[in-house]
Amino acid sequence: MDEVMKTAVPLLLEWYRVCKRDLPWRKQRTFYSVLVSELMLQQTRVEAVKERYVAFMRQFPSPAALAAADEDAVLKAWEGLGYYSRARNLKKAAERIAEEGYPTDVRGVRALPGVGDYTAGAISSIALGLAEPAVDGNVLRILSRLYADKSNVDEPATKARYAALLRAAYPKETGDFCEALMELGAIVCVPNGAPLCGGCPWAGLCRAHLANSEEDLPVRAPKKARRVVEARVAVLRCGGKYALEKRPAKGLLAGLWQFPFFEGEMPFFGETVAQKRAVHIFTHVEWRMEGRLVEVAAPLPQYVWASADEIRRIYALPSAFKAFMQWVI
Ligand code: ADE
């Protein structure tokens, strides 16, 4: 094992034992609970996941329960978390597990729907006790700083190098090590702004810290600009019901419900009662929306018409439309 890691691993584990956050998915660790939490945590903040994880596990306590559930109910339980394909994949993974049982090695884990290299490493090390690295943006950041490594962390070769380094450094507490790396990246070596080196177990050996260059690392490729979409959103009201439509089966927010949505101009439906603008930022796209509340005389047949209560209970409406929900009473 690399000399730096020899010192870094026990320091990190000791720090983790003392400082780790009390998070719901750290209380019981079954394969299923790790699968659910890791899929929820992909691209989503811990704070946003906490409550939803508990509610999800209550509603779908086992792979069998999730496999048997209605996809719409699963999407509803995922409402607001974004990246809804994760919910569909999680359900598919549960179906496979209900049929075939749990995988027992990293290849089996990686083959589950929705599980990429990072998540396969996390699940394998946390749930199966395997020395499988999980390298995400947080891990790339902390390691690039620990080694004062100026390699571009967006290069697959950099990731592969760190994965190999971690694989060789794994202690027997594989799950704690994996989560400790994430934890350090989340609460000490933070992604935005200055790292909190005063509380870092690696402060004495971190080469970036010793050279005062923490904030120059990691080196990343410049981000591509987001595509801007100008859209109109029609909140059509008719006798206490509202028009909904399903988004296309492919692409952004695939198959989720929305208020009638128009890229470009909106057809005339009736008198506009209220109007407001809202912006929603996705990873690669930015929606600049003009929303209109319109009273219509008769329900147009191309839409599903739902009451406010039904919208709240049944239809998963992405957060992008939250600003317009204030009209739904
Ligand atoms: N992000 C991804 N997985 C996580 C975990 N197990 N704990 C905290 N943050 C995470």
Side-chain angles (χ1 to χ4, degrees), residues 23 25-26 38 41 46 118 179 182:
L23 300 174
W25 49 90
R26 290 181 179 164
E38 290 306 325
L41 285 159
V46 163
Y118 166 75
E179 284 201 277
M182 298 176 189

Side-chain angles (χ1 to χ4, degrees), residues 25 32-42 49 53 57:
W25 49 90
Y32 179 64
S33 74
V34 175
L35 175 70
V36 171
S37 58
E38 290 306 325
L39 263 93
M40 275 195 180
L41 285 159
Q42 287 172 359
V49 169
Y53 166 80
M57 290 299 280

Side-chain angles (χ1 to χ4, degrees), residues 145-162:
R145 286 176 177 165
L146 177 62
Y147 290 91
D149 176 7
K150 295 202 176 69
S151 316
N152 178 349
V153 296
D154 293 313
E155 291 285 341
T158 308
K159 204 177 202 180
R161 198 153 43 74
Y162 286 148

